[in-house]
Amino acid sequence: MDTVKIGKYVFKSRLMVGTGKYPSNEIMVKALEASGADLVTVAVRRVNLDRSKESLLDHIDLKKYRLLPNTAACYTADDAIRTARLAREALDTDLIKLEVIGDEKTLFPDTEALLEAARVLVKEGFTVMPYTNDDPIMAKKLEDAGCAAVMPLAAPIGSGLDIRNPYNIRIILETVKVPIIVDAGVGTASDAAIAMELGCDGLLMNTAIASAKDPVAMARAMNLATEAGRLAFTSGRIPKKLYATASSPLSGLIE
């Protein structure tokens, strides 16, 4: 089975999905099922963790999915570290999708603060999966800091612009040995397939599924595209050529 290993965890699906922006919790549940994902992310600062009243967590089958809490809406290293610690205590997991946002308009990461927070959390035993930009140098620094995976953006969060710089992603894939999970920017199934065909180890997406006209159908499309892209990558595509090559052999023809 083609699994992906992140730290000590092994996942059957290379598609990881978020839980925000869905029209309803019922649609979210059906979309999670259609996606085939076994890792789902939740924003720690946007859900009720004490379960004293109805919470998003009441609608996620924890026997079927592993939670990946994230530090969305954190703008400093200290804030992200505190949020990660809260998630570990409340959700009993060392997994954390680390986000430190540097700009409110673009939601680009503050990579300096991100690296600072990652170093602290790794030392505290977290399995850190940092959301970062597509900078190969920062990706390598995060790996060296002990992160279990690196999650470069393909384009701004929620933009659906596809991979704006596939060449940087390719360099990251060549220089970083931990899993590379493309996070943010995927808009449709063909975008997902392209990312996987580059050799990425997985995808994490939310808006592309949750904000689609039919989130459940889009979740299935993303599931199939992720599998197809991975299979195409491992199969080895033909090289691109300027001129045609005959499909039938030219040698051995009867004159």
Side-chain angles (χ1 to χ4, degrees), residues 181-198:
I181 312 296
V182 164
D183 181 17
V186 170
T188 191
S190 58
D191 303 341
I194 288 171
M196 296 306 294
E197 287 174 8
L198 285 173

Side-chain angles (χ1 to χ4, degrees), residues 53-123:
K53 55 183 179 180
E54 184 180 8
S55 167
L56 173 72
L57 299 175
D58 296 327
H59 300 273
I60 300 174
D61 186 350
L62 299 183
K63 294 180 180 178
K64 185 181 298 184
Y65 306 107
R66 184 174 292 278
L67 290 180
L68 174 61
N70 69 56
T71 62
C74 292
Y75 285 81
T76 68
D78 286 344
D79 200 8
I81 291 167
R82 282 194 299 270
T83 302
R85 290 169 177 164
L86 173 63
R88 181 163 62 181
E89 291 300 315
L91 301 175
D92 190 27
T93 180
D94 64 355
L95 278 165
I96 192 73
K97 180 194 171 189
L98 182 61
E99 299 183 30
V100 184
I101 301 303
D103 177 68
E104 188 173 358
K105 182 177 181 180
T106 64
L107 300 180
F108 284 142
D110 180 339
T111 54
E112 184 178 11
L114 178 72
L115 183 58
E116 177 186 345
R119 286 171 172 158
V120 171
L121 294 175
V122 167
K123 288 181 179 179

Side-chain angles (χ1 to χ4, degrees), residues 21-227:
K21 300 184 178 180
Y22 286 93
S24 69
N25 287 325
E26 291 72 22
I27 291 176
M28 179 198 70
V29 170
K30 292 179 181 179
L32 293 183
E33 180 70 26
S35 74
D38 47 3
L39 181 65
V40 298
T41 184
V42 294
V44 178
R45 303 185 69 179
R46 294 173 180 155
V47 298
N48 178 25
L49 295 178
D50 65 17
R51 313 292 282 274
S52 59
K53 55 183 179 180
E54 184 180 8
S55 167
L56 173 72
L57 299 175
D58 296 327
H59 300 273
I60 300 174
D61 186 350
L62 299 183
K63 294 180 180 178
K64 185 181 298 184
Y65 306 107
R66 184 174 292 278
L67 290 180
L68 174 61
N70 69 56
T71 62
C74 292
Y75 285 81
T76 68
D78 286 344
D79 200 8
I81 291 167
R82 282 194 299 270
T83 302
R85 290 169 177 164
L86 173 63
R88 181 163 62 181
E89 291 300 315
L91 301 175
D92 190 27
T93 180
D94 64 355
L95 278 165
I96 192 73
K97 180 194 171 189
L98 182 61
E99 299 183 30
V100 184
I101 301 303
D103 177 68
E104 188 173 358
K105 182 177 181 180
T106 64
L107 300 180
F108 284 142
D110 180 339
T111 54
E112 184 178 11
L114 178 72
L115 183 58
E116 177 186 345
R119 286 171 172 158
V120 171
L121 294 175
V122 167
K123 288 181 179 179
E124 293 185 5
F126 283 88
T127 300
V128 180
M129 300 170 63
Y131 160 70
T132 184
N133 58 20
D134 59 2
D135 175 11
I137 304 302
M138 181 52 63
K140 182 61 179 172
K141 287 183 178 181
L142 289 165
E143 179 188 38
D144 291 343
C147 293
V150 175
M151 307 180 75
L153 55 82
I157 292 174
S159 67
L161 287 174
D162 191 12
I163 299 178
R164 294 296 81 202
N165 195 340
Y167 306 103
N168 273 25
I169 299 295
R170 288 176 62 182
I171 294 171
I172 291 172
L173 288 165
E174 290 176 1
T175 56
V176 175
K177 303 306 180 187
V178 296
I180 302 301
I181 312 296
V182 164
D183 181 17
V186 170
T188 191
S190 58
D191 303 341
I194 288 171
M196 296 306 294
E197 287 174 8
L198 285 173
C200 294
D201 296 282
L203 300 164
L204 194 152
M205 63 183 74
N206 186 179
T207 305
I209 295 175
S211 296
K213 290 183 179 179
D214 187 337
V216 179
M218 183 61 80
R220 175 163 165 73
M222 292 299 191
N223 183 4
L224 295 172
T226 301
E227 291 188 12

